[in-house]
Amino acid sequence: MSLLQKVFVKKKEKPGCMLQKGVQEPLSVYAPAAGNIIRLAEVKDGVFSEGILGKGCAVVPEMETIYAPFQGTIINVSDTKHAVGLKSDDGMEVLIHVGIDTVALNGQGFEMMVAVNDTVTCGQPILTFSKKVIEAAGYSDTVIVVVLNSDEYADIKVEKEGHVACLDKILSLKDKKI
């Protein structure tokens, strides 16, 4: 490549989240965004903080893109684009919900990049959101990650505390209950 090409050719951006090929472990959920992990009990929404929908954790995000937390299939996409349900190849059903009360935005500030029945790979972008739009409306942009079929597993362990990089392992599930 000539010097002029080096100066004028725009470098391709690397994806914000990449998991090394072959690293994904069974019954594991990876961080859909970089940020600070908080316990579900700290989420300011009783449906999540009381574990009504299942066990998991939340991430106060540093970025505006949400990535697939494992390889699987999209099983639900909210009409308001703030939440997506996924089912892993090994049977975990996970909800990723962006923000508290953001359903009231009716999709404003959100862009869904997947549809129901799409297959996704771990680290694939699945939705984007605007921190500015969420903040301007007075809402939190906390990203909640909940295992909807928690009762099918012997245990669900939060693997990280504090800061996480995108696609750090955040949840481990123990074998299904018999």
Side-chain angles (χ1 to χ4, degrees), residues 67-101:
Y67 297 87
F70 47 68
Q71 183 171 314
T73 304
I74 302 298
I75 57 174
N76 194 328
V77 172
S78 72
D79 292 338
T80 54
K81 305 176 187 174
H82 73 288
V84 61
L86 304 94
K87 185 172 186 175
S88 71
D89 290 347
D90 50 12
M92 296 179 296
E93 294 177 10
V94 171
L95 172 68
I96 298 176
H97 187 281
V98 179
I100 307 298
D101 297 327

Side-chain angles (χ1 to χ4, degrees), residues 107-175:
Q108 181 184 0
F110 293 90
E111 181 182 341
M112 195 60 65
M113 303 166 95
V114 293
V116 173
N117 295 323
D118 284 357
T119 53
V120 292
T121 57
C122 190
Q124 176 181 332
I126 57 175
L127 76 91
T128 60
F129 62 96
S130 170
K131 289 171 131 325
K132 284 184 181 181
V133 169
I134 293 170
E135 183 179 304
Y139 302 126
S140 165
D141 63 1
T142 299
V143 177
I144 298 119
V145 181
V146 176
V147 179
L148 297 172
N149 58 342
S150 293
D151 57 346
E152 294 179 17
Y153 295 91
D155 188 33
I156 297 175
K157 178 181 175 190
V158 177
E159 291 286 338
K160 292 274 188 170
E161 292 181 13
H163 187 268
V164 292
C166 189
L167 296 184
D168 279 353
K169 183 162 63 167
I170 57 172
L171 297 173
S172 292
L173 287 70
K174 296 277 188 206
D175 293 326

Side-chain angles (χ1 to χ4, degrees), residues 10-30:
K10 186 177 178 180
K11 292 182 180 180
K12 291 182 182 177
E13 288 187 27
K14 294 181 180 178
C17 279
M18 293 297 295
L19 191 65
Q20 292 179 347
K21 190 174 182 176
V23 173
Q24 184 179 344
E25 297 173 22
L27 299 177
S28 296
V29 179
Y30 296 87

